[in-house]
Amino acid sequence: MIGKLVLTLGGCAAAMARHVIYIRRSLHSGDFSVHPCVKEALSSGRPVVALESTIITHGMPYPQNLRMAREVEEIVQTNGSVPATIGVLNGRIHVGLQDEELEILATSKNVMKVSRRDLPYVLSQGLSGGTTVAGTMMVAHKARIPVFVTGGIGGVHRGGENTLDVSADLTELGRTPVAVVSAGVKSILDIGRTLEYLETQGVCVATFGESREFPAFFSHRSGFQAPFRVQNEDAAAQLIATQPPNGCDFSFSARSLALQLGSGVLIAVPCPQDQAASGQLIEEAIQLASREAREKGITGKELTPFLLQRVNEFSSGESLKSNIALIKNNARVGSRIAAALTQIQRGRCGRDGSPRHENASVATSPVVIGGINVDIIAKARDATMLDGGQTNPSTVRQSFGGVGRNLADGLSRLGKAPFFISVMGKDEHSESVLRYCSHMDMSGVLRLKGHNTATYCAVITGSGDLALGLGDMDVHQQITEQYVSGFKERLRLAPLVCIDGNVPVSTIQYICQIARDQHLAVCYEPTDVDKASKPFLSDSWRALACISPNLRELRAINRTLGHPVPADLPSKLEDVVEAAVTLACPLLKELHCVVVTLGQHGVVVCGRNMGGSISLHPATFNKNAADGLCAAHYPAIPVPAEEIVNVSGAGDSLMAGLIAGLLAGEATDDCIRMGLLSASLSLRSHEPVSPQINGASINAARLKAQSWPVAKRWKLP
């Protein structure tokens, strides 16, 4: 009977071919719009996940549909991929929707279900609609998005052997090389005949997890076995991944493409057990809804929305709860599959998309992982501030900081083009941050709706000292291991990774594990006393190459490790330097070097003696290839107190200059001087990182022209 269905549907080939011609033209014209974030991710080879929109327009009532759409996009982001919800608005196909566009689709009453066959009409008439699984697959493939997440696919309707009611989703899977991650087939359908039809179409079907039993959408058990099983995200990515016949272009396809089959892959993910609905309850609701549909003569594309609505009503809302739970679970799994797939493909291709040969070197950028803040800087006019609730005359300015952002800013200005990973809220502050940071690569920065962009308020005395700092930094906890793992290949290939103390402990431990496994050079910036010890709460810190604390942070680190520390820190220069060296020595048993920032006293560098100089370069990060330990104190470039405008980014600017010199292969002395010069410029700037920091102001000629105090050096026991 299934064979008869295939023969009957085959007669539509000529008409479908005409549709394809129109669609292909439209995807390269003004009818096709790609969201800038999606476009950037695709061009840079970051993982992207396609999402359908009929689940918004026809699958759920408002406001659950809008809330679900937003939450699913956020889940995709937090698990390492870029969401691209596909829909049609006013006759234009959109790959990636703005939040207000999601709301339009969620609240509109007169929108169409848009499958492949409907696209020519909808586009030509300037209509709007939600794309079905088939429509979304087709658009995703044209946009070079390899992974598509949905709730459940369509299939053969119950009684389809008589009605020939078969979803276009199945034929699309048979001819479009996209991996579809779903909770199987909607329970309102004939699951057995659907699996048979997929076999006829040559579609590779695999369950995800421990069982081969094909899920029944709302519940785990359908009574049917899938042909194959993949245990985890990596196995699913391996199933999907292939080397395109004509070389790499970050366009992925099913392995069947390598055999010129051109079919898709269906990954069936069971609904979470604790949120699955009762199979018996759902089946009874389906029977009631199906009988009602027959009595009312409802068929065609109106049938599925009707059945889903009535099943939800007959199940007292249980089916909707399970539907929302399973789409969220699919989004989480699908995003991780897309991230794993990207890592596989990047291993085969260079950054420009060309095939990578085994011995080819790959030009890479440093990676910075850390916080972004909107800074409110209040500087008092007088050196002594009045307390007790009194108002101090001052100047108040807004700027943009955060330790990670400052490091990435400084490195960007010095031509090192770092890849920056961070998280902001999706609010008015984040829009300002993006405008301000337009000179930086911000494609690794996640924006989360419902969260506040981090804000920091600094109160500075007239003499330039920080008197008080207040911060709303909760969003930094969203720089999760799952999100960062989406950039694993960038981390693996980076010449240097910098991570700041705003990042959660679990993420720091994850980075340290990668550093241990891949022999990465990782520099840790402690940020402040309370966060300084994060890597040192376990053995993770032993994988670090370098840390850059101030004296208070260095004392806190030693205290965490159980080493003796002074109760009070000295203020006299000679004693400050001695304390820095004493506290750094125990850490050098594992770390390559310790850079202790001392504010107005300059910087102390402690590390391994390599040919009479302290080694800083990542290529020399070898604990055993050194001639003992040594230390050097470099005095700061004097800046008059009346010229100090902002101290919040001086230490970060110092490290940015130092790291830029390190990456350029400069000698240690020149690296430190680049950092000190950068710090002096930022002290005079209203911005945390001075806009005057650039290749012209920080170069070899400028370094030679500067009058530098003699650095004091000595060997350590």
Side-chain angles (χ1 to χ4, degrees), residues 80-92:
S81 297
V82 175
T85 301
I86 293 173
V88 181
L89 290 167
N90 301 319
R92 297 191 75 197

Side-chain angles (χ1 to χ4, degrees), residues 217-232:
F217 196 57
F218 298 121
S219 59
H220 275 236
R221 298 188 176 278
S222 68
F224 298 94
Q225 294 287 301
F228 310 107
R229 177 180 72 88
V230 288
Q231 188 167 6
N232 52 39

Side-chain angles (χ1 to χ4, degrees), residues 218-548:
F218 298 121
S219 59
H220 275 236
R221 298 188 176 278
S222 68
F224 298 94
Q225 294 287 301
F228 310 107
R229 177 180 72 88
V230 288
Q231 188 167 6
N232 52 39
E233 291 88 351
D234 291 334
Q238 289 290 345
L239 177 70
I240 300 164
T242 188
Q243 177 79 21
N246 296 319
C248 298
D249 62 358
F250 289 117
S251 149
F252 305 100
S253 53
R255 282 198 183 275
S256 55
L257 182 60
L259 301 174
Q260 302 299 306
L261 300 179
S263 54
V265 170
L266 177 63
I267 307 293
V269 183
C271 179
Q273 185 69 56
D274 60 342
Q275 294 174 303
S278 163
Q280 181 178 354
L281 173 67
I282 294 299
E283 183 58 32
E284 290 174 354
I286 291 171
Q287 294 294 343
L288 290 171
S290 298
R291 186 183 310 121
E292 185 176 339
R294 288 193 299 272
E295 292 171 353
K296 293 183 176 181
I298 298 173
T299 59
K301 63 182 180 180
E302 287 79 24
L303 180 57
T304 297
F306 173 81
L307 291 176
L308 289 176
Q309 178 182 346
R310 295 300 284 155
V311 167
N312 180 52
E313 292 168 358
F314 288 138
S315 66
S316 302
E318 288 302 308
S319 66
L320 180 58
K321 292 179 183 177
S322 294
N323 198 354
I324 293 173
L326 67 85
I327 183 62
K328 290 181 180 180
N329 187 54
N330 293 348
R332 180 167 51 253
V333 172
S335 183
R336 293 177 182 178
I337 290 173
L341 183 59
T342 298
Q343 292 173 17
I344 292 171
Q345 194 73 359
R346 281 178 177 164
R348 296 173 178 169
C349 303
R351 293 181 70 206
D352 61 354
S354 59
R356 176 183 293 157
H357 302 289
E358 287 188 12
N359 297 324
S361 60
V362 181
T364 55
S365 300
V367 174
V368 178
I369 308 171
I372 298 173
N373 302 331
V374 176
D375 289 342
I376 308 297
I377 309 298
K379 184 181 180 186
R381 294 176 185 172
D382 301 325
T384 302
M385 296 181 61
L386 304 174
D387 56 15
Q390 299 186 63
T391 299
N392 290 267
S394 62
T395 57
V396 180
R397 293 179 62 95
Q398 175 181 296
S399 60
F400 302 96
V403 171
R405 195 219 67 85
N406 291 347
L407 282 171
D409 189 346
L411 288 169
S412 298
R413 295 182 186 279
L414 291 169
K416 298 309 170 188
F419 183 73
F420 181 40
I421 301 173
S422 189
V423 176
M424 299 187 291
K426 196 170 185 179
D427 53 19
E428 66 279 2
H429 286 315
S430 64
E431 297 290 345
S432 300
V433 171
L434 291 175
R435 285 194 295 270
Y436 180 80
C437 298
S438 59
H439 61 291
M440 299 165 53
D441 181 356
M442 300 287 281
S443 60
V445 177
L446 173 65
R447 297 171 68 193
L448 290 178
K449 193 170 184 65
H451 293 267
N452 295 326
T453 297
T455 306
Y456 174 71
C457 179
V459 179
I460 300 171
T461 67
S463 58
D465 296 321
L466 179 65
L468 180 66
L470 299 172
D472 175 3
M473 307 290 185
D474 290 347
V475 74
H476 293 153
Q477 296 307 304
Q478 302 304 315
I479 310 176
T480 62
E481 173 186 345
Q482 289 79 10
Y483 181 62
V484 174
S485 67
F487 307 104
K488 186 175 181 180
E489 189 68 8
R490 279 188 178 269
L491 295 169
R492 187 180 70 81
L493 297 174
L496 185 71
V497 176
C498 302
I499 185 167
D500 79 22
N502 290 304
V503 176
V505 172
S506 59
T507 306
I508 294 173
Q509 291 174 342
Y510 172 72
I511 297 298
C512 289
Q513 184 59 51
I514 295 177
R516 184 179 291 110
D517 295 342
Q518 302 292 335
H519 307 290
L520 298 184
V522 178
C523 178
Y524 175 65
E525 165 51 54
T527 308
D528 63 34
V529 172
D530 292 336
K531 302 170 184 175
S533 297
K534 284 184 176 181
F536 300 88
L537 299 173
S538 67
D539 286 340
S540 297
W541 71 277
R542 299 179 189 276
L544 298 173
C546 175
I547 62 172
S548 52

